[in-house]
């Protein structure tokens, strides 16, 4: 993995506050989608719900039209890892749905994702439940590793170490990675989900990143479908995806897309969130 050190955008405290407004729109939209998702609903319906909420908040859905992407959400079901296009696909009891959302407020971006089980939790296997749990935990371990003076791959190592500590057979996707975020959705530096600590650009106050582990129940190999967007696991194993936009402040990480700023989950890991 090569890093682009140049072009890392350092935000002022005021700009961090602006990013929080975008982050909250994204966090609230994902909560709304998670509350409404149910068997019999199409992914297109979920997308419409999200788009109207984002626009009602006075924000712009950043995915819509991004390199021609047709949706406001990416919705990836079961063996789809990321970048699934919302549409007529009807969700079933026990499906694993990964929902990725981006919004822009006054030129500043937020980006986050959650994976949920549709309908009856008993309609899927314990392995799938564990996959969701370990992927979300790995995200929080990555966030907790954001310390001033550290390096970007401290995040990567924390994500990988957690996944491996739970189950060596899980596939950690390397074809897609987290990223810097701010006045653009994707900017330097890349934030891989595997690697040794102590590499890449330095973690400094004002650095904002989207951390996004993508984990499968099988191989980490991926394939892009003929629609040129949908990324699936090559071996057909199911995949989970969790993501938050986080800014490092003088007082620690502030999880901009978490409604509580990350306070509760980081406290469980012994880290004080800089939530305001
Ligand atoms: Mg995303
Ligand atoms: Mg992202």
């Amino acid at each position: 993995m090569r890093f682009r050190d140049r072009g890392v955008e350092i935000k002022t405290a005021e700009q961090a506050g602006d990013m929080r407004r975008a982050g909250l729109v994204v966090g609230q939209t994902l909560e709304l989608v998670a509350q409404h998702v149910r068997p019999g609903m199409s992914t297109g319906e979920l997308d419409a719900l999200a788009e109207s909420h984002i626009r009602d908040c006075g924000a712009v859905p950043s995915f819509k039209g991004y390199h021609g992407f047709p949706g406001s959400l990416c919705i990836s079901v079961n063996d789809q890892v990321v970048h699934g296009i919302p549409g007529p696909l009807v969700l079933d009891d026990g499906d694993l749905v990964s929902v990725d959302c981006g919004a822009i407020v006054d030129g500043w971006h937020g980006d986050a994702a959650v994976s949920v089980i549709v309908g009856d939790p008993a309609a899927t296997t314990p392995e799938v439940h564990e996959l969701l749990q370990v992927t979300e935990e790995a995200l929080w371990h990555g966030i907790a590793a954001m310390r001033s003076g550290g390096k970007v791959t401290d995040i990567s190592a924390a994500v990988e170490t957690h996944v491996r500590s739970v189950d060596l057979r899980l596939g950690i996707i390397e074809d897609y990675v987290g990223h810097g975020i701010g006045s653009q959705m994707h900017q330097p530096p890349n934030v891989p989900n595997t690697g040794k600590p102590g590499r890449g650009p330095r973690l400094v106050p004002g650095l904002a990143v989207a951390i996004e582990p993508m984990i499968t129940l099988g191989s980490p190999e991926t394939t892009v479908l003929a629609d040129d967007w949908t990324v699936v696991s090559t071996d057909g194993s199911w995949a989970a995806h969790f993501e938050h936009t986080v800014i490092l402040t003088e007082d620690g990480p502030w999880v901009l897309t978490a409604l509580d700023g990350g306070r509760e989950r980081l406290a469980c890991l012994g880290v004080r969130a800089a939530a305001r």
Side-chain angles (χ1 to χ4, degrees):
M1 176 64 60
R2 302 185 69 196
F3 290 96
R4 287 189 295 156
D5 281 69
R6 281 173 30 178
V8 171
E9 182 181 80
I10 301 302
K11 284 74 171 173
T12 64
E14 189 187 345
Q15 290 168 336
D18 291 340
M19 285 188 71
R20 173 61 165 167
R21 288 162 56 218
L24 279 176
V25 172
V26 170
Q28 288 160 359
T29 304
L30 287 175
E31 192 140 293
L32 186 75
V33 169
Q35 279 164 7
H36 281 78
V37 65
R38 61 178 191 279
M41 208 171 178
S42 72
T43 57
E45 285 174 88
L46 283 178
D47 186 65
L49 177 75
E51 179 170 0
S52 31
H53 181 73
I54 292 168
R55 295 200 190 277
D56 285 350
C57 293
V60 176
S62 42
F63 297 175
K64 193 133 194 170
Y66 183 82
H67 296 287
F69 189 79
S72 293
L73 299 174
C74 292
I75 306 185
S76 310
V77 184
N78 299 339
D79 65 328
Q80 299 178 352
V81 183
V82 285
H83 305 165
I85 301 174
L89 177 70
V90 173
L91 297 170
D92 216 347
D93 232 1
D95 277 344
L96 190 180
V97 185
S98 298
V99 183
D100 196 342
C101 179
I104 312 167
V105 175
D106 294 336
W108 294 97
H109 288 255
D111 183 10
V114 293
S115 294
V116 295
I117 305 290
V118 179
D120 181 6
T124 191
T125 63
E127 287 75 22
V128 171
H129 286 285
E130 189 192 73
L131 174 69
L132 262 62
Q133 192 183 333
V134 69
T135 308
E136 187 173 21
E137 286 170 356
L139 166 60
W140 285 101
H141 279 269
I143 296 169
M146 282 185 79
R147 287 187 197 91
S148 209
K151 295 285 189 80
V152 162
T153 65
D154 297 354
I155 300 167
S156 320
V159 169
E160 180 176 14
T161 302
H162 181 71
V163 175
R164 294 287 169 240
S165 74
V166 173
D167 193 335
L168 288 171
R169 295 163 301 177
L170 296 170
I172 307 176
I173 304 282
E174 296 187 0
D175 297 341
Y176 301 87
V177 296
H179 48 92
I181 181 168
S183 62
Q184 297 165 300
M185 180 159 59
H186 296 123
Q187 21 175 250
N190 283 332
V191 184
N193 292 304
T194 57
K196 291 186 172 32
R199 296 185 54 226
R202 194 164 289 285
L203 299 173
V204 292
L207 175 72
V209 289
I211 304 174
E212 47 180 319
M214 292 150 265
I215 314 289
T216 77
L217 284 173
S219 155
E221 303 301 315
T222 61
T223 305
V224 179
L225 296 185
D227 63 17
D228 274 342
W229 281 105
T230 313
V231 177
V232 298
S233 66
T234 304
D235 66 359
S237 60
W238 286 20
H241 177 210
F242 283 85
E243 176 179 24
H244 272 305
T245 294
V246 189
I247 190 161
L248 189 59
T249 77
E250 303 282 357
D251 306 317
W254 184 14
V255 188
L256 301 171
T257 45
L259 300 186
D260 74 346
R263 223 177 249 133
E264 194 180 317
R265 293 296 297 250
L266 286 175
C268 294
L269 297 173
V271 173
R272 192 147 169 255
R276 293 170 207 175

